[in-house]
Amino acid sequence: MKTAGLSAIVGLVLAGAGASAAMAESGDTLAAVKARGELLCGVHPARHGFAAPDSQGKWSGFEVDFCRALSSAIFGDPEKVRFVALSSQQRFPAIQSGEVDVLARNVTATLGRDTALGLNFAPPIFYTGTGFLVRVEDGIEKVEDLDGAVICMAPGSTTERNVAQIFAARGLTYTPVVIENNKQLVDAYVTGRCDALTKDKAALPGVRAFDTQDPAAHVLLPGIYSKEPLAMAVRQGDDQWYDLVKWVTYATFNAEELGVSQANVDEMKTSDDPDIQTLLGVIGDNGTKLGVDNAWAYNVIKQVGNYKDIYMRHFGPDSPVALDRDLNRLWNDGGILYGLPMQ
């Protein structure tokens, strides 16, 4: 097995570290985005529910919508985004070198990535963890049943390390099949090259659709075996840009908590609630503080939605990849999403 660990990833970005550091330290990412007239957003090439282009090249997905939300905050237009498809190996060099302005590509926030890779993580937008997909006919019911199994996984991901730790802790053995290309990875599992496929658990339900013959032949093992807080990432050194990405995220949380949605945001502009007035830019100058129009959060909600709007669009019961919100509920509804005050 060829393992792309943290040291290997660090090596990949060193060549462009000087240029990226200069760009970040200048503190002008927002100015550069405005001058360019579009946001460059790094996304997954094709992950059900999170990011994928259709046959016409139009992108959709949960993380795609957060890129569009950032565009709405900057330009008042959710379509001023160029989506850059990045593999697991490409994603960190791309943000470090300035190829993209923000990374919204199933990135788990970790201490190592925060420090050694020079990244700043916005608040997590999706909480998940390592899971396993297996074939029903194999009778596998728990991780311990995978002792000696062949397991498909992507390189350069936290999942690769997590599986090693999960199996070592239980005294189990396995043979990894590490494949970078997502379609080839899933094909390897569906065609029987592997006994199990491991990814973030949120990504696994969509994989069943790849088996056009019998999607129901596959089942997720119960349990989540790691902490995977997925968050947007930016380069260190530009506090204004980091603040904007961070507060766009919080705005979607706070809007849901305040009952402000894509459907009622215009009506809510007449609310007497000072928190709603502040959120929507009716009072205060939060936009000025962030370097954008004071209607920035109104534009985000009107054009893209609050957190619930975005989640239900891609993971709700009527979506192709239905997922219970679980931890991805607000703090006052049994989850851990918590928007900081916007005073």
Side-chain angles (χ1 to χ4, degrees):
M1 177 182 70
K2 295 182 179 179
T3 302
L6 182 59
S7 60
I9 297 171
V10 172
L12 287 171
V13 302
L14 285 179
S20 64
M23 180 181 295
E25 289 171 5
S26 68
D28 63 359
T29 307
L30 179 57
V33 170
K34 289 180 175 179
R36 188 192 306 128
E38 65 178 358
L39 172 71
L40 303 178
C41 191
V43 293
H44 197 287
R47 175 162 284 188
H48 279 39
F50 286 94
D54 63 17
S55 59
Q56 304 301 313
K58 183 174 176 61
W59 285 84
S60 65
F62 179 81
E63 290 176 325
V64 165
D65 273 357
F66 273 91
C67 295
R68 290 202 169 103
L70 186 55
S71 175
S72 291
I74 299 166
F75 299 108
D77 184 343
E79 299 303 326
K80 291 191 174 183
V81 188
R82 188 194 315 168
F83 295 102
V84 181
L86 299 169
S87 69
S88 295
Q89 302 283 21
Q90 294 168 332
R91 55 186 174 169
F92 297 126
I95 186 66
Q96 288 283 8
S97 67
E99 180 184 347
V100 296
D101 304 308
V102 62
L103 201 58
R105 196 226 170 270
N106 278 183
V107 179
T108 300
T110 69
L111 185 149
R113 290 170 175 178
D114 190 27
T115 55
L117 298 185
L119 302 179
N120 278 333
F121 289 96
I125 54 175
F126 199 99
Y127 290 93
T128 183
T130 299
F132 297 88
L133 188 70
V134 297
R135 281 175 285 275
V136 174
E137 66 179 13
D138 291 339
I140 298 169
E141 298 180 350
K142 55 187 183 298
V143 167
E144 286 73 13
D145 295 336
L146 289 171
D147 191 20
V150 178
I151 302 179
C152 281
M153 63 189 74
S157 65
T158 53
T159 302
E160 191 176 10
R161 183 200 63 220
N162 292 339
V163 172
Q165 294 176 340
I166 291 164
F167 276 68
R170 290 164 172 78
L172 309 176
T173 63
Y174 69 100
T175 300
V177 172
V178 182
I179 301 174
E180 171 67 30
N181 181 277
N182 186 62
K183 185 179 185 305
Q184 294 174 2
L185 174 65
V186 173
D187 284 346
Y189 163 72
V190 171
T191 58
R193 183 177 170 189
C194 307
D195 301 305
L197 173 67
T198 183
K199 286 175 172 280
D200 290 345
K201 194 166 186 178
L204 290 173
V207 170
R208 288 182 289 204
F210 281 83
D211 189 346
T212 56
Q213 299 295 320
D214 189 6
H218 309 274
V219 64
L220 275 71
L221 292 187
I224 293 178
Y225 297 92
S226 68
K227 293 191 292 186
E228 304 294 331
L230 307 183
M232 292 189 287
V234 298
R235 293 178 294 279
Q236 288 181 0
D238 190 336
D239 288 346
Q240 181 191 45
W241 183 241
Y242 175 51
D243 284 348
L244 181 60
V245 176
K246 176 172 60 179
W247 284 101
V248 165
T249 303
Y250 282 142
T252 67
F253 299 169
N254 284 328
E256 180 183 354
E257 182 175 341
L258 292 168
V260 182
S261 68
Q262 191 170 28
N264 69 11
V265 64
D266 286 320
E267 176 187 346
M268 286 294 194
K269 287 189 75 173
T270 64
S271 170
D272 294 329
D273 186 327
D275 288 332
I276 294 176
Q277 291 179 332
T278 301
L279 171 70
L280 300 181
V282 176
I283 61 174
D285 62 348
N286 283 341
T288 301
K289 295 172 184 176
L290 292 170
V292 293
D293 190 274
N294 282 330
W296 65 279
Y298 165 81
N299 290 332
V300 168
I301 301 160
K302 175 71 174 179
Q303 297 168 0
V304 183
N306 65 23
Y307 185 89
K308 182 177 181 180
D309 291 327
I310 297 170
Y311 189 97
M312 297 304 285
R313 187 178 302 138
H314 303 293
F315 301 118
D318 297 326
S319 69
V321 186
L323 293 173
D324 185 89
R325 281 184 67 173
D326 196 25
L327 293 179
N328 298 301
R329 297 179 182 274
L330 294 181
W331 66 280
N332 57 2
D333 188 32
I336 56 177
L337 296 184
Y338 190 109
L340 300 191
M342 299 182 70
Q343 293 95 327

